[in-house]
Amino acid sequence: QVQLVESGGGLVQAGGSLRLSCAASGSIFSVNAMGWYRQTPGNNRELVARITRFGSTDYADSVKGRFTISRDNAKNTVYLQMNSLKPEDAAVYYCEIELRYSRDYWGQGTQVTVSS
């Protein structure tokens, strides 16, 4: 069993910053990658940023240059630094962990609201 605990969401003005955190705990034996996804009503969940156990990263085109993903492998924790936030960034953000030889787990999501 694996649990993901997310924190850092909230309300911020356009142009501001937020930092999301996600800590995984439980039966974690081998991690392939961790990432952040977001979803708005009526839309599919989309990749925001992902980082592998080797440190390679992927970003959605819409957030490149503004968001940075990082991780602490020893703590099984992933962070998302979000700068220059735009109203279109508003969504529920979900943390994900990919376990080798096992399955993926998802957090419950944290709301990010950006006011203009």
Side-chain angles (χ1 to χ4, degrees):
Q1 298 292 326
V2 174
Q3 297 81 40
L4 301 177
V5 179
E6 302 158 326
S7 62
L11 174 65
V12 66
Q13 292 183 335
S17 298
L18 285 173
R19 192 186 193 213
L20 306 183
S21 299
C22 174
S25 62
S27 301
I28 303 171
F29 299 102
S30 184
V31 178
N32 183 60
M34 297 185 73
W36 289 96
Y37 297 73
R38 66 188 181 189
Q39 187 170 26
T40 54
N43 295 302
N44 294 325
R45 190 172 299 182
E46 66 174 357
L47 172 72
V48 177
R50 180 175 177 269
I51 186 166
T52 73
R53 67 188 190 275
F54 304 112
S56 61
T57 57
D58 292 305
Y59 293 95
D61 288 341
S62 60
V63 308
K64 287 180 179 177
R66 299 187 297 119
F67 291 10
T68 302
I69 189 169
S70 60
R71 91 290 190 206
D72 185 337
N73 288 341
K75 296 182 178 180
N76 291 317
T77 299
V78 65
Y79 307 92
L80 185 68
Q81 179 67 46
M82 305 186 292
N83 298 327
S84 302
L85 282 161
K86 305 174 180 179
E88 51 262 45
D89 293 318
V92 177
Y93 283 71
Y94 296 89
C95 176
E96 181 230 23
I97 184 170
E98 302 168 16
L99 301 182
R100 300 181 70 195
Y101 317 115
S102 185
R103 54 158 288 188
D104 298 346
Y105 290 87
W106 294 87
Q108 292 300 121
T110 183
Q111 177 71 234
V112 171
T113 303
V114 184
S115 64
S116 60

